[in-house]
Amino acid sequence: MKDYGMIAKELFMAGYNCSQAVFCAFAEELGMDRATAARLSAPFGGGMGRLRLTCGCVSGAMMVLGLALGYDPENAPKDAKGIHYEKVRELAAALEARNGSLICKELLAMKGVDASAGGAPEERTEEYYKRRPCPEYVRIAAEETARILEKYHCI
């Protein structure tokens, strides 16, 4: 199996935001080209546009679940929504257990990084990457997503 965690981390290190890095690591295999996947997941970086709400890694991972395991309400069995939400909660619980939170502001603050909302994104410098926990959160989110997809025979 591909090392989705390392793929996502490499994408983040190449300038993709956290949500893009996780989602794009899986997109092509799930039938979406990387450019479209990057545009679709762009708003979720920085906890939704640097609002520091739900971590972009979590949002990207959930988008992967939707693409791989989601349902079409017009053609799905009655219990499809509940079954899908169980998988969403399973992934969320795994991410929270490994990282301590699903909230961008909390994740950054736990690592001593300024977690104020808004403002322009920081320039991606060597110093930026040294002090940010985000590359590891991206890796973990992709690993846990791959584990769920493997469990449900999607990859």
Side-chain angles (χ1 to χ4, degrees), residues 58 61-62 65 69 82-98 102 141 144-152:
V58 175
M62 296 305 170
L65 280 193
L69 298 168
I83 291 168
H84 183 65
Y85 286 176
E86 286 176 21
K87 294 169 185 165
V88 167
R89 289 189 300 270
E90 180 181 353
L91 178 55
L95 293 173
E96 188 166 22
R98 286 190 71 184
L102 301 176
E144 291 298 331
T145 303
R147 184 185 59 76
I148 297 286
L149 295 183
E150 187 175 64
K151 177 178 177 179
Y152 293 105

Side-chain angles (χ1 to χ4, degrees), residues 9-72:
K9 186 174 180 177
E10 288 169 4
L11 289 170
F12 185 81
M13 300 299 281
Y16 287 69
N17 73 33
C18 47
S19 180
Q20 289 172 319
V22 174
F23 189 57
C24 289
F26 296 89
E28 289 179 22
E29 185 166 347
L30 296 174
M32 182 177 287
D33 66 273
R34 187 175 283 176
T36 301
R39 287 191 303 275
L40 181 62
S41 56
F44 300 99
M48 293 187 221
R50 289 181 57 88
L51 290 171
R52 303 299 188 214
L53 300 172
T54 301
C55 171
C57 299
V58 175
S59 296
M62 296 305 170
M63 290 173 63
V64 172
L65 280 193
L67 192 56
L69 298 168
Y71 63 96
D72 170 7

